[in-house]
Amino acid sequence: MSAREKKTTTNSHPISELRQNIITGEWVVIATGRAKRPHDFQTSAPAPEPDLSNDPFDDPEGSGQEKDVLVYRTEDGDWSLRVFPNKFPAFVRDAVPEELSEGPYFAMTGAGFHEVIVTRDPRLSLALLDPLQVAEVIDAYQERYLDLMTKRSVRSIHIFHNHGESAGASLAHPHSQLMAVSVVPEHIEQELGGAEEYYRDYRKSVFATIFEEEQSVKKRLVFENEHFVVFCPFASRSAFEMWILPKRLSPYFERITDEEKIACGSALKTALQALYTGLGNPDYNFYIHTAPADGRDYPHYAWHIEIVPRTAIWAGFELSTGMEVSTIEPEVAAEFLREEVLKNENV
Amino acid sequence: MSAREKKTTTNSHPISELRQNIITGEWVVIATGRAKRPHDFQTSAPAPEPDLSNDPFDDPEGSGQEKDVLVYRTEDGDWSLRVFPNKFPAFVRDAVPEELSEGPYFAMTGAGFHEVIVTRDPRLSLALLDPLQVAEVIDAYQERYLDLMTKRSVRSIHIFHNHGESAGASLAHPHSQLMAVSVVPEHIEQELGGAEEYYRDYRKSVFATIFEEEQSVKKRLVFENEHFVVFCPFASRSAFEMWILPKRLSPYFERITDEEKIACGSALKTALQALYTGLGNPDYNFYIHTAPADGRDYPHYAWHIEIVPRTAIWAGFELSTGMEVSTIEPEVAAEFLREEVLKNENV
């Protein structure tokens, strides 16, 4: 039986498969030996009602948060979204990086910016907001990105969202975070380097290759609108991982257009809602991967959003090797999520 | 104030510091803004008494595990350690890797070996065993390594131990695992590549550089015996991370001598015991990093053990960037662990 035949149905898949990330060269393990089906990933109990009695994001300034750097308001004057510096920053705001090397080791001041992006309703995660409200969040991401990318200590900007305790959300009130730092981290370097290398080898963008393949075979597609595709990547690092990729490939998230923001809000909401209804509100992280803000050009890179549900615990093997083990085939996960999207559209 | 002066006391450290892993180039953030002290990392409640009523490792064959591949016995004939194939393997045993590529994507059968290494007493983690019993575990690691490294599909072997639920231990009975796989994973490639590059630049092993620096400045040392040093790495990826490095640097774990195994057992037990008594039995992973078993030589690499306590949750920033944020300086962690070692020696 050829490899291709093996892949035509989801019932005859091998028990363990090594798949390589086409961008970075990293390996993942798809080990379906325990024969999990999508429903096995459903959270066993509904999450407890969040404790919002001491919600510091209900009235951020009143609860000692720093002054807003951005506020969006509704027509009636109430705020709908605000952005302010994190009260417990991981980086020293706007500092000049000072070298702190010791002997053979290199270190420097952790200079940068660490901000919190908060939506109004403490009980509504992005999955439950209107698509336009999610587009507003993306609007805020872009506005803060454009402001911080010009700061002289900033070389890369990282926007991410933690949903649920096991995903690192220490507060129940939905919020995203932005960290602007003076280095380009390893994972981003790997994607940038891989995209360059792929272009050298094939004279083609690796993201265009992925986009065309997913559009053509369709089995990993979850959702699509005029400007975005949502799919489970071939080498998913976690069960039900999804990527949101713009159809107009661009290295730079900050150049997203107004029309694209509206479509992106709809794609992100749809993807998160499929997780919410399909798996019973699982914990997840999502984050934007985009080219660094370091003054260089990255013509063969493409910004995108990665959504990583926290369906498994990283153990010693993952920490040691960086290889992640997922227990469901991305094709099976995509089929399940696609059906959820259809169900949710018909509600 | 110069960088060096800044580092002479632990009270005047900057609130956030970016430190670079000298081997891989990866960055970590040491963010002490929340001013945590070592005692803040103590587990708040003692772990619940493990449920051993259905312990599948008490009588492995009787509970349906596969046949042992290795058994050590005490003088009275009872087993003290046994190794058998994992009942739920992540890899297909001894398979020939078959290519499973699809379109532009590369994949292959997950061929390999996945074994479990179990010590006799279900209630005694390695921290509580005698040093010689821990040496026996290391002996078993080596024996299995030597057997599997010659299998034709095997290119790298990963030995790791998960302690506690949040570290991925699904069974309470202490056990280690071994995975022998047909690829060399990314993290290992990075260390190998970094070691080569360092040697090209400095004509010196990066591990020798680290060993000499830690021996000389002493502030990150936790323990030392005739054959091993235990220290908190300068660019620790987690709070209280420790590395165990042999004084006779060698790329290949499998060449450890009998005398070194006894010293390694003592170093590993001492390190884990310091975590156990100092932090109240926290969850952790440890794993061996060693040169691949792929027939190539890696003269500038050195095998070592990394112990990573699970003191924080990986959230969106870490998943997105690969940069880990630790909230205690390795120097402060080392001082605390060093004192624990002394206390434990005097019990």
Side-chain angles (χ1 to χ4, degrees):
Chain A
M1 187 161 51
S2 79
R4 193 155 289 278
E5 277 166 351
K6 262 199 178 151
K7 307 304 300 172
T8 51
T9 76
T10 54
N11 293 324
S12 61
H13 55 69
I15 255 171
S16 175
E17 198 175 327
L18 283 168
R19 293 186 175 192
Q20 192 165 34
N21 180 319
I22 190 179
I23 306 168
T24 62
E26 289 170 298
W27 294 98
V28 300
V29 187
I30 314 286
T32 51
R34 296 189 195 200
K36 279 199 174 179
R37 306 177 135 269
H39 291 282
D40 294 333
F41 290 91
Q42 281 170 341
T43 52
S44 48
E49 194 66 12
D51 176 15
L52 295 164
S53 53
N54 285 306
D55 179 9
F57 293 166
D58 183 47
D59 171 16
E61 284 193 52
S63 16
Q65 305 298 324
E66 291 198 56
K67 203 169 149 32
D68 298 312
V69 292
L70 181 68
V71 187
Y72 292 163
R73 295 188 183 278
T74 56
E75 283 176 12
D76 65 8
D78 192 13
W79 64 278
S80 59
L81 178 149
R82 49 209 300 175
V83 184
F84 42 86
N86 192 309
K87 201 174 172 180
F88 302 103
F91 299 95
V92 184
R93 192 179 338 166
D94 212 7
V96 178
E98 183 194 355
E99 192 179 327
L100 300 169
S101 297
E102 286 188 63
Y105 301 130
F106 187 74
M108 59 181 160
T109 318
F113 297 82
H114 187 174
E115 300 183 346
V116 187
I117 297 125
V118 179
T119 42
R120 183 70 186 96
D121 194 316
R123 292 173 198 280
L124 295 184
S125 70
L126 298 193
L128 304 174
L129 294 180
D130 291 336
L132 278 179
Q133 292 175 302
V134 180
E136 189 180 70
V137 173
I138 292 161
D139 207 15
Y141 292 166
Q142 182 190 30
E143 197 166 339
R144 293 308 305 143
Y145 195 109
L146 287 167
D147 183 32
L148 293 172
M149 69 181 281
T150 60
K151 304 282 182 183
R152 64 182 170 152
S153 67
V154 170
R155 293 190 61 220
S156 69
I157 298 178
H158 309 281
I159 294 167
F160 57 96
H161 187 98
N162 306 331
H163 177 77
E165 253 184 73
S166 76
S170 50
L171 290 170
H173 192 135
H175 62 285
S176 308
Q177 296 181 68
L178 179 155
M179 291 195 193
V181 302
S182 63
V183 296
V184 179
E186 189 62 19
H187 276 199
I188 308 298
E189 289 275 22
Q190 282 171 336
E191 283 195 350
L192 296 168
E196 277 306 306
E197 206 176 309
Y198 193 93
Y199 186 81
R200 266 205 316 275
D201 291 349
Y202 298 97
R203 290 286 139 196
K204 182 168 182 176
S205 153
V206 67
F207 292 94
T209 299
I210 293 171
F211 176 72
E212 285 165 21
E213 177 71 7
E214 299 309 329
Q215 282 274 30
S216 147
V217 301
K218 290 199 162 48
K219 61 183 172 178
R220 282 177 296 269
L221 273 189
V222 174
F223 177 75
E224 174 173 12
N225 61 26
E226 198 187 337
H227 294 292
F228 288 87
V229 284
V230 182
F231 61 95
C232 295
F234 177 77
S236 288
R237 57 193 294 205
S238 91
F240 301 95
E241 176 174 344
M242 285 180 270
W243 282 28
I244 302 179
L245 185 67
K247 292 184 174 180
R248 178 181 69 87
L249 295 175
S250 156
Y252 312 108
F253 162 71
E254 70 271 21
R255 297 194 193 165
I256 189 173
T257 66
D258 285 348
E259 200 177 302
E260 283 171 330
K261 275 182 272 187
I262 289 169
C264 188
S266 160
L268 181 56
K269 187 248 154 69
T270 302
L272 297 178
Q273 190 185 25
L275 286 180
Y276 183 92
T277 59
L279 300 182
N281 192 18
D283 293 351
Y284 60 78
N285 303 100
F286 74 76
Y287 45 84
I288 299 176
H289 271 182
T290 183
D294 62 352
R296 290 177 53 199
D297 286 331
Y298 297 92
H300 310 304
Y301 189 73
W303 81 266
H304 59 275
I305 298 175
E306 302 185 6
I307 303 171
V308 183
R310 301 296 284 256
T311 48
I313 292 172
W314 272 42
F317 181 69
E318 291 85 344
L319 288 181
S320 172
T321 63
M323 262 171 97
E324 295 174 59
V325 183
S326 172
T327 49
I328 189 168
E329 282 190 299
E331 294 74 19
V332 177
E335 187 181 359
F336 176 80
L337 291 167
R338 207 157 50 224
E339 281 166 17
E340 280 304 309
V341 170
L342 285 179
K343 276 190 232 167
N344 292 332
E345 275 172 0
N346 295 326
V347 166
Chain B
M1 188 160 52
S2 81
R4 194 155 288 279
E5 279 166 350
K6 263 197 179 153
K7 308 302 302 170
T8 51
T9 74
T10 53
N11 294 323
S12 61
H13 55 69
I15 254 171
S16 175
E17 198 174 326
L18 283 168
R19 293 185 176 193
Q20 193 166 32
N21 181 320
I22 190 179
I23 306 168
T24 61
E26 288 171 298
W27 293 98
V28 299
V29 187
I30 314 286
T32 51
R34 296 191 196 199
K36 278 199 175 180
R37 307 177 134 268
H39 292 282
D40 294 333
F41 289 91
Q42 281 169 343
T43 52
S44 48
E49 194 66 13
D51 176 16
L52 295 165
S53 53
N54 285 307
D55 179 10
F57 293 165
D58 183 46
D59 171 16
E61 284 192 52
S63 11
Q65 306 298 323
E66 291 198 56
K67 204 172 147 30
D68 298 312
V69 292
L70 181 68
V71 187
Y72 292 162
R73 295 189 183 278
T74 56
E75 284 176 10
D76 66 7
D78 192 13
W79 64 277
S80 59
L81 178 148
R82 50 209 298 175
V83 184
F84 43 85
N86 193 309
K87 200 175 173 182
F88 302 103
F91 299 97
V92 184
R93 197 182 332 170
D94 213 7
V96 177
E98 184 195 353
E99 192 178 326
L100 300 169
S101 297
E102 284 188 64
Y105 302 130
F106 186 75
M108 58 181 161
T109 318
F113 297 82
H114 186 175
E115 301 183 346
V116 187
I117 297 125
V118 179
T119 43
R120 184 70 186 96
D121 194 316
R123 291 173 199 281
L124 296 184
S125 70
L126 298 193
L128 304 175
L129 294 181
D130 290 334
L132 278 177
Q133 292 175 303
V134 181
E136 191 180 71
V137 173
I138 292 162
D139 209 14
Y141 292 166
Q142 183 191 28
E143 199 167 336
R144 293 308 305 142
Y145 195 108
L146 287 168
D147 183 33
L148 293 171
M149 69 182 281
T150 60
K151 305 282 183 186
R152 66 182 168 152
S153 67
V154 170
R155 292 190 62 221
S156 68
I157 299 180
H158 308 281
I159 294 167
F160 57 95
H161 187 100
N162 306 331
H163 177 77
E165 253 185 73
S166 76
S170 49
L171 290 170
H173 192 135
H175 62 284
S176 308
Q177 295 180 70
L178 179 154
M179 291 194 191
V181 302
S182 64
V183 296
V184 179
E186 189 64 19
H187 276 200
I188 308 298
E189 289 275 22
Q190 282 171 334
E191 283 195 351
L192 296 168
E196 276 307 307
E197 205 176 311
Y198 193 92
Y199 186 80
R200 266 205 317 276
D201 291 349
Y202 298 98
R203 290 285 138 195
K204 183 169 181 176
S205 153
V206 67
F207 292 95
T209 299
I210 292 171
F211 176 71
E212 285 165 22
E213 177 71 7
E214 298 309 330
Q215 283 274 31
S216 146
V217 302
K218 290 197 161 50
K219 62 185 172 178
R220 282 176 297 269
L221 274 189
V222 173
F223 177 74
E224 173 173 12
N225 61 25
E226 198 187 336
H227 293 291
F228 287 87
V229 285
V230 181
F231 61 94
C232 296
F234 177 77
S236 288
R237 58 193 293 204
S238 90
F240 301 96
E241 177 175 345
M242 285 180 271
W243 282 28
I244 301 179
L245 185 66
K247 291 184 175 179
R248 177 180 70 86
L249 296 175
S250 156
Y252 312 108
F253 162 71
E254 70 271 20
R255 297 193 192 166
I256 189 172
T257 66
D258 286 348
E259 199 177 302
E260 283 171 331
K261 275 182 269 186
I262 290 170
C264 188
S266 160
L268 181 55
K269 186 245 155 67
T270 302
L272 297 178
Q273 189 184 27
L275 286 180
Y276 184 91
T277 59
L279 300 182
N281 193 18
D283 293 351
Y284 60 78
N285 304 99
F286 73 77
Y287 46 84
I288 299 177
H289 271 182
T290 183
D294 62 352
R296 289 179 53 199
D297 287 331
Y298 297 92
H300 310 304
Y301 190 71
W303 80 266
H304 59 276
I305 299 175
E306 302 185 5
I307 304 171
V308 183
R310 301 295 285 255
T311 48
I313 293 171
W314 272 41
F317 181 69
E318 291 85 346
L319 288 181
S320 171
T321 63
M323 265 171 96
E324 295 176 59
V325 183
S326 171
T327 49
I328 189 168
E329 283 189 297
E331 294 74 20
V332 177
E335 187 181 0
F336 176 80
L337 292 166
R338 207 157 51 224
E339 282 166 17
E340 280 304 309
V341 170
L342 285 179
K343 276 190 232 166
N344 292 333
E345 275 172 0
N346 294 326
V347 168

